Short mmCIF file of all heavy atoms in Angstrom, two decimals:
data_model
loop_
_atom_site.label_atom_id
_atom_site.label_comp_id
_atom_site.label_asym_id
_atom_site.label_seq_id
_atom_site.Cartn_x
_atom_site.Cartn_y
_atom_site.Cartn_z
N TYR P 89 -16.72 0.24 -15.00
CA TYR P 89 -15.71 -0.81 -14.92
C TYR P 89 -14.80 -0.66 -13.71
O TYR P 89 -14.17 -1.63 -13.28
CB TYR P 89 -14.88 -0.85 -16.20
CG TYR P 89 -14.01 0.37 -16.42
CD1 TYR P 89 -12.75 0.46 -15.85
CD2 TYR P 89 -14.46 1.43 -17.20
CE1 TYR P 89 -11.95 1.58 -16.03
CE2 TYR P 89 -13.67 2.54 -17.40
CZ TYR P 89 -12.43 2.61 -16.81
OH TYR P 89 -11.64 3.71 -17.00
N SER P 104 -20.53 -0.20 -22.41
CA SER P 104 -19.78 -0.86 -23.49
C SER P 104 -18.76 -1.80 -22.86
O SER P 104 -18.47 -1.73 -21.67
CB SER P 104 -19.06 0.17 -24.36
OG SER P 104 -18.12 0.90 -23.60
N SER P 105 -18.22 -2.70 -23.67
CA SER P 105 -17.26 -3.68 -23.17
C SER P 105 -15.90 -3.03 -22.92
O SER P 105 -15.50 -2.09 -23.63
CB SER P 105 -17.11 -4.82 -24.17
OG SER P 105 -18.34 -5.49 -24.35
N HIS P 106 -15.18 -3.55 -21.90
CA HIS P 106 -13.86 -3.05 -21.55
C HIS P 106 -12.94 -4.22 -21.21
O HIS P 106 -13.39 -5.23 -20.66
CB HIS P 106 -13.92 -2.12 -20.33
CG HIS P 106 -14.73 -0.87 -20.52
ND1 HIS P 106 -16.11 -0.88 -20.53
CD2 HIS P 106 -14.34 0.41 -20.71
CE1 HIS P 106 -16.53 0.36 -20.71
NE2 HIS P 106 -15.48 1.16 -20.82
N ALA P 107 -11.67 -4.06 -21.51
CA ALA P 107 -10.63 -4.96 -21.03
C ALA P 107 -9.61 -4.11 -20.27
O ALA P 107 -9.21 -3.04 -20.75
CB ALA P 107 -9.95 -5.70 -22.18
N LEU P 109 -6.03 -3.86 -17.73
CA LEU P 109 -4.80 -4.41 -17.21
C LEU P 109 -4.10 -3.33 -16.41
O LEU P 109 -3.99 -2.18 -16.87
CB LEU P 109 -3.89 -4.88 -18.35
CG LEU P 109 -2.47 -5.34 -17.97
CD1 LEU P 109 -2.53 -6.62 -17.15
CD2 LEU P 109 -1.62 -5.53 -19.22
N SER P 359 -7.99 20.67 -22.19
CA SER P 359 -7.05 19.57 -22.48
C SER P 359 -7.72 18.21 -22.50
O SER P 359 -7.19 17.26 -23.07
CB SER P 359 -5.93 19.56 -21.43
OG SER P 359 -6.45 19.22 -20.15
N GLY P 360 -8.88 18.11 -21.87
CA GLY P 360 -9.54 16.83 -21.76
C GLY P 360 -8.95 15.92 -20.71
O GLY P 360 -9.38 14.79 -20.55
N LEU P 361 -7.94 16.41 -19.98
CA LEU P 361 -7.29 15.61 -18.93
C LEU P 361 -7.87 15.97 -17.57
O LEU P 361 -7.71 17.10 -17.11
CB LEU P 361 -5.78 15.86 -18.93
CG LEU P 361 -5.00 15.48 -20.18
CD1 LEU P 361 -3.53 15.84 -20.01
CD2 LEU P 361 -5.16 14.00 -20.47
N PRO P 362 -8.54 15.03 -16.92
CA PRO P 362 -9.01 15.31 -15.56
C PRO P 362 -7.85 15.30 -14.58
O PRO P 362 -6.83 14.65 -14.82
CB PRO P 362 -9.98 14.16 -15.29
CG PRO P 362 -9.45 13.03 -16.11
CD PRO P 362 -8.88 13.67 -17.35
N ARG P 364 -7.08 14.43 -10.58
CA ARG P 364 -7.62 13.84 -9.36
C ARG P 364 -6.61 14.01 -8.22
O ARG P 364 -5.41 13.94 -8.43
CB ARG P 364 -7.93 12.35 -9.57
CG ARG P 364 -8.83 12.09 -10.76
CD ARG P 364 -9.16 10.61 -10.92
NE ARG P 364 -9.92 10.41 -12.15
CZ ARG P 364 -9.39 10.01 -13.30
NH1 ARG P 364 -8.10 9.73 -13.36
NH2 ARG P 364 -10.14 9.88 -14.37
N THR P 404 -4.63 11.15 -13.14
CA THR P 404 -5.24 11.70 -14.34
C THR P 404 -5.54 10.55 -15.30
O THR P 404 -5.21 9.38 -15.02
CB THR P 404 -4.33 12.73 -15.02
OG1 THR P 404 -5.05 13.40 -16.06
CG2 THR P 404 -3.09 12.07 -15.62
N SER P 405 -6.16 10.86 -16.43
CA SER P 405 -6.47 9.88 -17.47
C SER P 405 -6.13 10.46 -18.83
O SER P 405 -6.39 11.64 -19.09
CB SER P 405 -7.95 9.48 -17.44
OG SER P 405 -8.28 8.85 -16.22
N ILE P 406 -5.53 9.62 -19.68
CA ILE P 406 -5.18 10.04 -21.03
C ILE P 406 -5.99 9.20 -22.00
O ILE P 406 -5.94 7.96 -21.99
CB ILE P 406 -3.67 9.85 -21.29
CG1 ILE P 406 -2.86 10.64 -20.26
CG2 ILE P 406 -3.31 10.29 -22.70
CD1 ILE P 406 -1.37 10.36 -20.33
N GLN P 407 -6.75 9.88 -22.87
CA GLN P 407 -7.66 9.20 -23.79
C GLN P 407 -7.02 9.02 -25.15
O GLN P 407 -6.40 9.94 -25.69
CB GLN P 407 -8.95 10.02 -23.93
CG GLN P 407 -10.06 9.33 -24.69
CD GLN P 407 -10.85 8.39 -23.80
OE1 GLN P 407 -11.02 8.64 -22.63
NE2 GLN P 407 -11.36 7.32 -24.39
N TYR P 408 -7.15 7.79 -25.71
CA TYR P 408 -6.73 7.52 -27.07
C TYR P 408 -7.97 7.13 -27.87
O TYR P 408 -9.09 7.18 -27.36
CB TYR P 408 -5.68 6.42 -27.11
CG TYR P 408 -4.38 6.81 -26.42
CD1 TYR P 408 -4.13 6.42 -25.11
CD2 TYR P 408 -3.43 7.57 -27.09
CE1 TYR P 408 -2.95 6.77 -24.48
CE2 TYR P 408 -2.25 7.94 -26.46
CZ TYR P 408 -2.01 7.54 -25.15
OH TYR P 408 -0.85 7.90 -24.53
N SER P 409 -7.79 6.70 -29.10
CA SER P 409 -8.93 6.44 -29.97
C SER P 409 -9.86 5.37 -29.39
O SER P 409 -11.07 5.54 -29.35
CB SER P 409 -8.45 6.03 -31.36
OG SER P 409 -7.64 4.86 -31.28
N CYS P 410 -9.29 4.26 -28.95
CA CYS P 410 -10.13 3.19 -28.41
C CYS P 410 -9.56 2.66 -27.10
O CYS P 410 -9.77 1.49 -26.76
CB CYS P 410 -10.29 2.06 -29.43
SG CYS P 410 -8.72 1.30 -29.91
N SER P 411 -8.85 3.49 -26.38
CA SER P 411 -8.31 3.07 -25.10
C SER P 411 -8.09 4.29 -24.20
O SER P 411 -8.15 5.44 -24.66
CB SER P 411 -7.00 2.29 -25.27
OG SER P 411 -5.99 3.12 -25.77
N GLN P 412 -7.82 3.99 -22.95
CA GLN P 412 -7.58 5.04 -21.96
C GLN P 412 -6.53 4.55 -20.98
O GLN P 412 -6.54 3.38 -20.57
CB GLN P 412 -8.88 5.37 -21.22
CG GLN P 412 -8.75 6.42 -20.13
CD GLN P 412 -10.10 6.79 -19.55
OE1 GLN P 412 -11.01 7.21 -20.26
NE2 GLN P 412 -10.23 6.64 -18.24
N VAL P 413 -5.60 5.42 -20.62
CA VAL P 413 -4.59 5.10 -19.61
C VAL P 413 -4.88 5.94 -18.37
O VAL P 413 -4.92 7.17 -18.44
CB VAL P 413 -3.17 5.39 -20.13
CG1 VAL P 413 -2.15 5.13 -19.01
CG2 VAL P 413 -2.86 4.51 -21.33
N ASN P 414 -5.12 5.26 -17.26
CA ASN P 414 -5.34 5.92 -15.98
C ASN P 414 -4.05 5.86 -15.17
O ASN P 414 -3.49 4.78 -14.96
CB ASN P 414 -6.47 5.25 -15.20
CG ASN P 414 -7.80 5.32 -15.93
OD1 ASN P 414 -8.15 6.36 -16.49
ND2 ASN P 414 -8.53 4.22 -15.96
N LEU P 415 -3.57 7.01 -14.74
CA LEU P 415 -2.32 7.11 -13.99
C LEU P 415 -2.59 7.64 -12.59
O LEU P 415 -3.45 8.52 -12.40
CB LEU P 415 -1.34 8.05 -14.71
CG LEU P 415 -0.96 7.70 -16.14
CD1 LEU P 415 -0.16 8.84 -16.77
CD2 LEU P 415 -0.17 6.40 -16.17
N VAL P 447 -0.37 2.31 -12.98
CA VAL P 447 -0.74 2.48 -14.38
C VAL P 447 -1.83 1.47 -14.73
O VAL P 447 -1.66 0.26 -14.50
CB VAL P 447 0.47 2.28 -15.32
CG1 VAL P 447 0.05 2.48 -16.77
CG2 VAL P 447 1.61 3.23 -14.95
N GLU P 448 -2.92 1.96 -15.29
CA GLU P 448 -4.03 1.09 -15.71
C GLU P 448 -4.34 1.38 -17.18
O GLU P 448 -4.54 2.53 -17.58
CB GLU P 448 -5.26 1.36 -14.85
CG GLU P 448 -6.46 0.50 -15.23
CD GLU P 448 -7.67 0.82 -14.38
OE1 GLU P 448 -8.22 1.95 -14.50
OE2 GLU P 448 -8.08 -0.04 -13.58
N TRP P 449 -4.39 0.31 -17.95
CA TRP P 449 -4.69 0.43 -19.38
C TRP P 449 -6.07 -0.16 -19.63
O TRP P 449 -6.33 -1.33 -19.32
CB TRP P 449 -3.63 -0.31 -20.19
CG TRP P 449 -3.77 -0.17 -21.68
CD1 TRP P 449 -4.31 0.88 -22.37
CD2 TRP P 449 -3.35 -1.12 -22.67
NE1 TRP P 449 -4.27 0.65 -23.72
CE2 TRP P 449 -3.68 -0.56 -23.95
CE3 TRP P 449 -2.74 -2.37 -22.62
CZ2 TRP P 449 -3.41 -1.22 -25.14
CZ3 TRP P 449 -2.46 -3.02 -23.80
CH2 TRP P 449 -2.80 -2.47 -25.04
N VAL P 450 -6.95 0.65 -20.18
CA VAL P 450 -8.34 0.26 -20.44
C VAL P 450 -8.59 0.28 -21.94
O VAL P 450 -8.34 1.30 -22.61
CB VAL P 450 -9.34 1.20 -19.73
CG1 VAL P 450 -10.76 0.74 -19.94
CG2 VAL P 450 -9.02 1.32 -18.25
N ILE P 451 -9.07 -0.83 -22.49
CA ILE P 451 -9.38 -0.92 -23.91
C ILE P 451 -10.89 -1.08 -24.05
O ILE P 451 -11.51 -1.92 -23.39
CB ILE P 451 -8.67 -2.14 -24.57
CG1 ILE P 451 -7.16 -2.04 -24.35
CG2 ILE P 451 -8.99 -2.22 -26.05
CD1 ILE P 451 -6.41 -3.28 -24.82
N PHE P 452 -11.47 -0.26 -24.92
CA PHE P 452 -12.90 -0.39 -25.19
C PHE P 452 -13.09 -0.38 -26.70
O PHE P 452 -13.13 0.67 -27.34
CB PHE P 452 -13.73 0.72 -24.51
CG PHE P 452 -13.06 2.05 -24.43
CD1 PHE P 452 -13.18 2.98 -25.43
CD2 PHE P 452 -12.28 2.37 -23.32
CE1 PHE P 452 -12.57 4.22 -25.36
CE2 PHE P 452 -11.66 3.60 -23.23
CZ PHE P 452 -11.79 4.53 -24.27
N PRO P 453 -13.15 -1.57 -27.31
CA PRO P 453 -13.24 -1.66 -28.78
C PRO P 453 -14.43 -0.89 -29.32
O PRO P 453 -15.50 -0.81 -28.70
CB PRO P 453 -13.40 -3.17 -29.02
CG PRO P 453 -12.86 -3.80 -27.77
CD PRO P 453 -13.19 -2.88 -26.65
N ARG P 454 -14.22 -0.33 -30.48
CA ARG P 454 -15.30 0.39 -31.14
C ARG P 454 -16.37 -0.58 -31.64
O ARG P 454 -16.09 -1.69 -32.00
CB ARG P 454 -14.77 1.19 -32.33
CG ARG P 454 -13.85 2.34 -31.89
CD ARG P 454 -13.38 3.11 -33.10
NE ARG P 454 -12.50 4.19 -32.73
CZ ARG P 454 -12.91 5.40 -32.37
NH1 ARG P 454 -14.23 5.66 -32.32
NH2 ARG P 454 -12.06 6.35 -32.03
#
Side-chain angles (χ1 to χ4, degrees):
Y89 67 86
S104 62
S105 298
H106 297 75
L109 173 67
S359 67
L361 298 179
R364 306 182 186 98
T404 189
S405 297
I406 303 172
Q407 188 83 33
Y408 296 97
S409 59
C410 60
S411 67
Q412 178 174 304
V413 176
N414 298 317
L415 302 172
V447 181
E448 180 181 67
W449 185 29
V450 183
I451 303 173
F452 34 89
R454 293 181 181 274

